[in-house]
Amino acid sequence: MATDDMWIWDGGRVCLDFTNTLRYRWRTAPEETLRNPDDLALWLQRAGMLAPGIQDPGTTAVLTSGRRLRETVDRAVLAVADGRVPLSGDVTALNRSAAQAPRPALQIVIADGRLEPAAGMSVAADAAAALALIAQDAVDLLLSAEIRRVRVCGADECALRFVDRSPARNRRWCSMSRCGNRTKVRLHQARARRSEDTSAD
């Protein structure tokens, strides 16, 4: 069973955190963190998509469906972020899945002295409905201006997806504390080795 430290929550959107459950996509054999239905149910609970204490985590078929949705979201998001139109089959699959999402009751909040719709996502009663909420989040992202801020981590051995919300829109890593610092240390060590080699000549 996967553990919390297997999952990274730096995507900025639940649909991107979900795509990041397949780690090291650049490898010939990426690392799967959703190995069984219990892993999927635990991830969905940690993401706030699935009500805690669900006794039936879902079936192998739901897990297969979740993995398929994950790859559909990934292809569609990367296509649109790159200025391309996603595959029509991916659009159909996302729409079909998002249509199964439970409909939350519309709520309002007072912001700056005026009424606005409250942001929020339903909590599903089962894994299949929670996957539909992820599809709904992906559809929302694809239609938003934020899609142009989706990035792939620039670290050589990462490739996690995230939304760049930095003011200058120049974030390079999924996390400065993880990939950013590692990259800086590696570059510093490489410069130091080159300097030593030059001094030895």
Side-chain angles (χ1 to χ4, degrees):
M1 181 175 205
T3 56
D4 279 340
D5 62 341
M6 287 287 296
W7 297 318
I8 296 175
W9 307 95
D10 292 328
R13 298 286 297 238
V14 71
C15 64
L16 296 181
D17 286 334
F18 190 58
T19 66
N20 291 336
T21 60
L22 185 65
R23 303 285 303 284
Y24 311 112
R25 288 176 175 271
W26 52 271
R27 289 182 182 168
T28 305
E31 181 180 343
E32 178 61 74
T33 67
L34 303 178
R35 294 183 209 103
N36 56 56
D38 288 329
D39 287 343
L40 176 61
L42 184 59
W43 187 92
L44 292 167
Q45 287 172 349
R46 296 289 190 271
M49 310 296 295
L50 184 62
I54 299 293
Q55 298 302 312
D56 179 14
T59 62
T60 302
V62 172
L63 175 63
T64 301
S65 175
R67 288 176 178 168
R68 192 176 313 118
L69 173 65
R70 178 183 63 195
E71 299 314 299
T72 300
V73 169
D74 191 54
R75 282 190 305 271
V77 166
L78 291 181
V80 177
D82 194 38
R84 296 177 286 117
V85 175
L87 299 170
S88 62
D90 288 345
V91 170
T92 300
L94 285 173
N95 285 337
R96 190 173 293 139
S97 183
Q100 302 304 313
R103 302 285 181 234
L106 185 61
Q107 298 191 349
I108 54 175
V109 294
I110 299 172
D112 297 325
R114 65 175 191 257
L115 291 178
E116 293 182 357
M121 200 173 275
S122 296
V123 175
D126 61 51
L131 291 173
L133 290 173
I134 291 171
Q136 205 172 58
D137 183 58
V139 168
D140 182 63
L141 175 60
L142 290 167
L143 295 173
S144 75
E146 201 168 50
I147 189 66
R148 298 286 182 227
R149 290 180 167 220
V150 172
R151 308 279 186 267
V152 176
C153 183
D156 291 340
E157 297 184 357
C158 182
L160 292 179
R161 284 71 163 125
F162 64 91
V163 175
D164 177 6
R165 293 194 177 113
S166 66
R169 297 185 182 189
N170 63 352
R171 184 174 151 198
R172 295 180 56 198
W173 299 290
C174 62
S175 165
M176 187 63 195
S177 64
R178 189 178 40 258
C179 289
N181 285 341
R182 282 186 208 152
T183 301
K184 287 185 174 187
V185 166
R186 188 171 41 78
L187 292 173
H188 174 73
Q189 290 170 340
R191 280 192 302 271
R193 279 193 299 275
R194 280 195 305 272
S195 178
E196 288 172 8
D197 291 345
T198 304
S199 300
D201 289 346

